[in-house]
């Protein structure tokens, strides 16, 4: 046997993989992490989809475009006048790339700090032996390394529409959507899910005429429908055109743009002609290049690695986490699984509570939730109480000039245990953390209602929504 022996090899350096590697190293294991992502100079760019073409760059563009929209629309209300308002797209994209690079470099620094050996290249299974697994690393680094434990965290790729492959020129995945060199006059998006709404918002704020075509009849079907309706009202007002219940037909991409034939909800034949089309219809698990067959690693019909509740695969000491396995495709879910697996390898009781994984959609208003929706509770026949509080009645929201939306609590009818919290409105992404903590500690709505919240703050709306469960709001 030649090549370095490790205790743990992690394949994939996205949030699932790099966090698993750091935690394994913290626990005293000799750990390697292999990641193949390249930056534009061909160098390593760890951080996966999240850092390179996902969470981080999308939030950078959401921030830039929100500043632009505020400067154009909201500043005047504050008595701030601007003339000659312009957007320099190249500069905005450059800033976004800078933020991405800071994160790539930060992960390389963390690997050094924690003594994780980083290999830049593709990792694939070669064979399983008595002392563990042989892993090949190829292009740009060539190496053969060994470990008793392997954690697979190879993530996911954008799903293409049949007959309309991504060319990243006119038919764009999330990758192309994050680096359009100019604002398209007309932009189409297929899929009104998380990416459709976030990317649609970015380019609408910058001046594109945006139409989103969604197959399902309900807007954001997985979201509490009261919250989804409130969000839809806000998006309609902003001019984000969302058509529900459509059936996409032929997509023709040419030099001048893209034509999308579709049937609308009433059965009418329609055509959408746009300069650019973003396809955001979900993502598929990525095991390309892993050579799973060499060791008999089991995949399901969607191509996801089959794991149990603890991220164990069908092979001894091979684990898989993040987007490449079942469950929500979220960076923080991937991270939690990575930590839990490293701790299980160390004989500890790593744990992920799937009931308290928060979701956030970073539109304006932001949408965030944790736990069950009202429609899920009804379907399960669970007796519940609901309470909500509008930001319109919150002093801080008025001062901010952002009073759209509400906080909504759902609690068990008998025990008052919080079953779900749903927010649409300003800073929902931050406010949801309190609800996650409360649910993790199995708090009651009354617990939140009795906690002192700073005044004036948006979090007072959370307290008031908890009071509303017992029908005793103080400010509404
Ligand atoms: P990934 O991040 O996909 O990382 C996998 C890594 O493995 C990649 O670097 C890949 O190159 C590498 N790899 C694959 N195969 C091999 C191999 N054989 N050898 C070596 N390396 C390999 N989630 C959130 O929670 N919040 C958000 O705001 C958010 N925004 C998003 C916005 C967009 C536009 C997109 C597309 C996604 C967003 N997500 C968000 C989802 C989030 O990015 C993913 O859930 C998360 O990145 C999954 O982490 P992962 O580690 O499982 O996989
Ligand atoms: P998504 O699952 O959020 O939404 C896809 C949408 O496309 C759905 O509404 C679906 O009904 C629709 N759709 C599917 N096929 C269609 C078709 N043929 N025609 C029309 N509509 C169709 O997937 P999305 O937006 O691609 O994002 C992928 C994943 O990335 C998300 O599920 C999420 O896990 C993650 N993500 C998370 C973010 C966050 O946490 N803020 C931001 C962006 C992505």
């Amino acid at each position: 046997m030649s090549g370095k022996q490790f205790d743990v090899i992690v394949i994939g350096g996205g949030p699932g993989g790099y966090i698993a590697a750091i935690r394994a190293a913290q626990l005293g294991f000799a750990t390697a992490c292999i990641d193949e992502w390249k930056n534009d100079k061909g160098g390593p760019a760890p951080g996966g989809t999240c850092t390179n073409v996902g969470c981080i760059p999308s939030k950078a563009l959401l921030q830039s475009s929100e500043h632009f929209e505020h400067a154009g629309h909201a500043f005047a209300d504050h008595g701030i006048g601007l003339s000659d308002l312009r957007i320099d797209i190249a500069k905005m994209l450059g800033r976004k790339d800078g933020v991405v690079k800071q994160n790539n470099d930060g992960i390389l620094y963390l690997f050094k700090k924690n003594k994780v050996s980083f290999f830049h290249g593709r990792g694939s299974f070669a064979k399983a032996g008595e002392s563990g697994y042989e892993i090949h690393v190829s292009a740009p680094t060539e190496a053969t390394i060994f470990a008793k434990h392997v954690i697979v965290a190879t993530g996911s790729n954008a799903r293409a529409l049949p007959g309309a492959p991504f060319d990243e020129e006119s038919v764009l995945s999330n990758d192309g959507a994050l680096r359009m060199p100019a604002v398209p006059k007309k932009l189409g998006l297929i899929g009104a899910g998380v990416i459709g709404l976030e990317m649609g918002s970015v380019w609408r704020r910058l001046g594109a005429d945006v139409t989103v075509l969604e197959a399902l009849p309900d807007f954001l079907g997985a979201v509490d429908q009261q919250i989804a309706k409130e969000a839809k009202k806000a998006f309609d007002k902003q001019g984000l055109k969302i058509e529900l219940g459509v059936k996409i037909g032929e997509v023709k991409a040419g030099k001048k743009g893209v034509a999308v034939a579709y049937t609308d909800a009433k059965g009418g034949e329609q055509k959408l002609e746009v300069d650019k089309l973003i396809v955001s219809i979900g993502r598929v698990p990525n095991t390309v290049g892993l050579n799973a067959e060499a060791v008999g690693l089991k995949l399901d019909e969607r191509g996801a690695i089959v794991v149990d509740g603890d991220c164990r695969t069908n092979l001894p000491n091979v684990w898989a986490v993040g987007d490449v396995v079942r469950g929500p495709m979220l960076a923080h879910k991937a991270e939690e699984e990575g930590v839990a697996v490293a701790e299980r390898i160390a004989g500890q009781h790593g744990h992920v509570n799937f009931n308290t994984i928060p979701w956030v959609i970073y539109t304006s208003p932001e949408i965030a939730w944790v736990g069950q929706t009202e429609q899920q509770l009804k379907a399960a026949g669970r007796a519940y109480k609901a309470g909500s509080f509008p930001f319109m009645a919150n002093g801080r929201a008025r001062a901010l000039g952002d009073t759209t939306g509400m906080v909504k609590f759902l609690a068990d009818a008998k025990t008052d245990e919080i079953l779900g919290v749903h927010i649409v409105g300003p800073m929902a992404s931050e406010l949801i953390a309190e609800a996650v903590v409360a649910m993790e500690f199995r708090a009651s709505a009354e617990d939140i209602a009795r906690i002192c919240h700073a005044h004036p703050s948006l979090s007072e709306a959370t307290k008031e929504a908890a009071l509303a469960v017992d029908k005793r709001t103080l400010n509404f």
Side-chain angles (χ1 to χ4, degrees):
M1 184 177 91
S2 69
K4 195 162 175 195
Q5 176 78 38
F6 290 93
D7 298 319
V8 179
I9 293 175
V10 183
I11 305 179
Y18 90 78
I19 289 291
I22 289 173
R23 186 71 190 117
Q26 283 177 348
L27 289 163
F29 294 115
T31 306
C33 182
I34 310 167
D35 188 80
E36 65 178 344
W37 206 293
K38 290 191 184 95
N39 61 26
D40 53 7
K41 294 186 181 72
T49 302
C50 166
T51 301
N52 293 294
V53 291
C55 324
I56 301 299
S58 61
K59 268 79 252 180
L61 294 189
L62 279 156
Q63 191 61 54
S64 300
S65 60
E66 192 164 14
H67 282 325
F68 183 66
E69 177 145 280
H70 283 177
H73 299 282
F75 278 15
D77 288 346
H78 295 260
I80 304 169
L82 281 172
S83 59
D84 192 26
L85 182 66
R86 281 173 295 111
I87 178 89
D88 179 341
I89 298 293
K91 188 153 188 188
M92 181 187 80
L93 296 181
R95 174 187 177 274
K96 179 250 322 172
D97 293 341
V99 174
V100 167
K101 186 165 184 317
Q102 282 170 9
N103 283 271
N104 296 142
D105 292 348
I107 295 167
L108 290 170
Y109 161 77
L110 290 171
F111 281 160
K112 272 209 183 101
K113 180 182 163 201
N114 289 282
K115 299 191 174 50
V116 172
S117 300
F118 176 64
F119 290 82
H120 185 211
R122 172 168 286 186
S124 53
F125 283 100
K127 57 178 186 264
E130 267 177 26
S131 60
Y133 295 87
E134 180 178 325
I135 305 291
H136 283 176
V137 186
S138 59
T141 310
E142 299 290 334
T144 298
I145 52 178
F146 301 84
K148 178 170 179 199
H149 293 273
V150 178
I151 304 173
V152 180
T154 46
S156 63
N157 292 320
R159 185 153 78 88
L161 262 180
F166 297 119
D167 58 18
E168 304 299 358
E169 283 296 325
S170 47
V171 180
L172 314 175
S173 70
N174 55 297
D175 185 5
L178 289 160
R179 54 184 172 83
M180 278 192 265
V183 181
K185 232 169 146 201
K186 291 187 89 182
L187 174 67
L189 292 103
I190 313 283
V194 199
I195 295 180
L197 294 174
E198 290 188 357
M199 287 295 102
S201 294
V202 165
W203 294 104
R204 182 204 58 74
R205 290 170 189 169
L206 299 174
D209 175 5
V210 179
T211 305
V212 192
L213 301 177
E214 164 61 45
L216 294 178
D218 291 327
F219 179 61
L220 288 178
V223 176
D224 187 278
Q225 281 301 289
Q226 191 182 357
I227 297 292
K229 282 202 176 83
E230 195 72 16
K232 177 81 168 40
K233 257 197 285 174
F235 298 143
D236 288 346
K237 217 164 124 193
Q238 292 164 6
L240 192 66
K241 288 174 258 171
I242 303 170
E243 272 203 56
L244 301 172
V246 311
K247 191 168 183 315
I248 304 294
E250 194 183 14
V251 176
K252 269 197 196 152
K255 281 226 164 74
K256 284 200 181 137
V258 189
V260 182
Y262 68 97
T263 311
D264 66 23
K266 291 187 183 133
E269 297 298 322
Q270 305 287 351
K271 193 186 238 181
L272 176 71
E273 289 182 335
V274 290
D275 302 306
K276 305 267 182 193
L277 181 73
I278 299 173
V279 176
S280 48
I281 56 170
R283 297 180 60 83
V284 284
N286 168 35
T287 53
V288 177
L290 198 57
N291 201 17
E293 321 76 67
V295 286
L297 181 64
K298 197 168 162 195
L299 311 182
D300 69 13
E301 63 288 347
R302 290 184 321 126
I305 297 176
V306 177
V307 288
D308 66 9
D310 286 345
C311 296
R312 283 188 182 83
T313 69
N314 64 312
L315 301 174
N317 301 328
V318 177
W319 312 74
V321 302
D323 281 11
V324 78
V325 305
R326 54 51 206 132
M329 287 185 169
L330 295 172
H332 41 283
K333 174 264 193 186
E335 291 183 14
E336 293 305 318
E337 286 184 333
V339 167
V341 163
E343 292 179 350
R344 282 172 199 134
I345 291 173
Q348 299 180 2
H349 298 280
H351 179 67
V352 181
N353 184 354
F354 285 92
N355 296 322
T356 54
I357 293 176
W359 274 87
V360 178
I361 307 179
Y362 293 82
T363 44
S364 178
E366 291 185 343
I367 304 164
W369 71 98
V370 57
Q372 302 194 64
T373 63
E374 203 162 346
Q375 59 267 26
Q376 282 172 326
L377 293 175
K378 276 190 183 136
R382 180 107 183 230
Y384 66 91
K385 302 177 280 184
S388 60
F389 186 82
F391 284 109
M392 200 186 42
N394 174 274
R396 184 75 195 281
R398 286 191 199 123
L400 286 171
D402 193 355
T403 53
T404 310
M406 67 178 88
V407 180
K408 171 174 176 178
F409 267 63
L410 298 167
D412 185 272
K414 273 206 193 109
T415 65
D416 196 37
E417 180 177 351
I418 302 166
L419 303 175
V421 177
H422 306 269
I423 308 174
V424 54
M427 301 307 282
S429 55
E430 301 295 333
L431 293 174
I432 201 64
E434 179 181 7
V436 177
V437 173
M439 286 185 64
E440 194 63 47
F441 285 89
R442 301 196 61 179
S444 62
E446 189 187 350
D447 288 327
I448 298 296
R450 285 185 180 279
I451 292 171
C452 180
H453 289 67
H455 176 77
S457 71
L458 296 171
S459 71
E460 287 172 292
T462 306
K463 177 192 173 93
E464 290 274 8
L467 281 165
V469 171
D470 198 31
K471 298 193 172 42
R472 53 188 184 95
T473 52
L474 297 164
N475 283 287
F476 187 63

